[in-house]
Amino acid sequence: MFKAKINLPKNYDKTKSYPLILLNDGEIFRLNALKDKAIIIGLKAVNRLDAFTPKPAKNIRPGIPDFGGSADKYHQLIFETFLPEVLSEYNIDYERIVYGGYSLGGLAAVYSLSTIDIPAIVFSLCGSFWYPDFIKYCKDTDFKNKKASVYLLNGKNEGDKHNNILENAPKIAADLHSIIKEKIMDVTSVFDNYGHHENLESRYSNLCIWLSEKLKV
């Protein structure tokens, strides 16, 4: 269901304990600022429309496959099968495990807060919180991972010029941020003035600064 690419710090010392960052979509280079401070694993889903979505839903774009809704299975494979193998192979600080992603990858990361309690830190950049019924699900669900530190970033111009549900993406994201703040104590909520695919370098740079502080690296 996914392929994993592991990046070890340049001077990896197996006697030293390291943070672990699990990154959806596998773009490890986005976190280059942390590449020598943490073990980073890029998770490349075979089908992200299935792996990153909480439940089946029709796609909002004609001609594109529907969303499969297999996030539970995806997370089970990561946290119940893959993670134990990684923990047995590398010296990882269990209290500094991070999980996150961008867009649908961010949606999956936030969804994980409601179903599993393993990651100590969860982040979402431009999470696709417009996903059908996701807001209602979050509002009605008692989250399991209430002790996590959470970073949420969305753009005020996401969905601009779309003639579908994406037009409401900024408002939906704002509502989601508020809901997560009610359920989890440590939430950093950020909104910038960009669209969904804009200003990525700066967004990841700010995330890395935040992660460095949380991980104390």
Side-chain angles (χ1 to χ4, degrees):
M1 195 170 188
F2 68 90
K3 296 180 181 179
K5 182 178 180 180
I6 300 177
N7 179 83
L8 295 178
K10 185 176 181 180
N11 296 316
Y12 174 73
D13 180 353
K14 59 184 177 182
T15 67
K16 178 182 175 181
S17 182
Y18 290 86
L20 170 67
I21 303 174
L22 300 167
L23 179 65
N24 283 332
D25 281 322
E27 296 184 332
I28 293 176
F29 69 93
R30 301 287 187 188
L31 302 178
N32 272 347
L34 298 171
K35 67 178 182 179
D36 290 324
K37 300 177 181 179
I39 296 172
I40 304 175
I41 300 182
L43 304 171
K44 189 74 172 179
V46 175
N47 186 337
R48 67 194 302 275
L49 298 184
D50 287 352
F52 296 163
T53 50
K55 69 172 190 175
K58 291 288 184 181
N59 204 306
I60 59 175
R61 294 186 177 90
I64 303 298
D66 292 333
F67 301 109
S70 298
D72 287 332
K73 181 180 179 182
Y74 177 65
H75 287 149
Q76 183 179 29
L77 288 173
I78 291 172
F79 294 103
E80 295 182 18
T81 302
F82 178 67
L83 181 58
E85 295 174 355
V86 173
L87 293 173
S88 68
E89 181 72 19
Y90 304 103
N91 192 358
I92 291 167
D93 183 349
Y94 194 81
E95 300 301 321
R96 292 192 293 168
I97 295 177
V98 182
Y99 173 49
Y102 202 100
S103 193
L104 285 176
L107 171 72
V110 171
Y111 174 65
S112 77
L113 291 166
S114 71
T115 58
I116 54 178
D117 61 0
I118 295 176
I121 299 173
V122 170
F123 68 85
S124 168
L125 302 183
C126 296
S128 302
F129 303 138
W130 50 262
Y131 195 79
D133 298 325
F134 188 64
I135 285 285
K136 184 178 186 304
Y137 169 81
C138 288
K139 187 174 182 179
D140 296 343
T141 302
D142 185 24
F143 280 27
K144 287 189 176 182
N145 199 357
K146 295 179 181 179
K147 295 182 179 180
S149 295
V150 179
Y151 182 93
L152 303 173
L153 178 143
N154 283 91
K156 294 179 180 178
N157 290 317
E158 290 188 68
D160 192 33
K161 299 179 182 179
H162 284 75
N163 296 316
N164 52 34
I165 194 174
L166 291 178
E167 284 187 332
N168 296 318
K171 181 184 182 305
I172 294 172
D175 290 344
L176 188 282
H177 285 217
S178 295
I179 291 170
I180 300 300
K181 284 181 180 179
E182 292 175 0
K183 295 178 178 290
I184 295 176
M185 291 285 292
D186 185 8
V187 178
T188 298
S189 172
V190 180
F191 282 90
D192 62 24
N193 295 315
Y194 296 94
H196 191 69
H197 298 292
E198 299 174 343
N199 204 37
L200 268 66
E201 184 174 344
S202 178
R203 284 169 166 173
Y204 275 103
S205 177
N206 290 332
L207 169 66
C208 286
I209 292 171
W210 182 86
L211 283 174
S212 293
E213 294 174 354
K214 290 295 180 182
L215 296 172
K216 299 180 180 179
V217 295

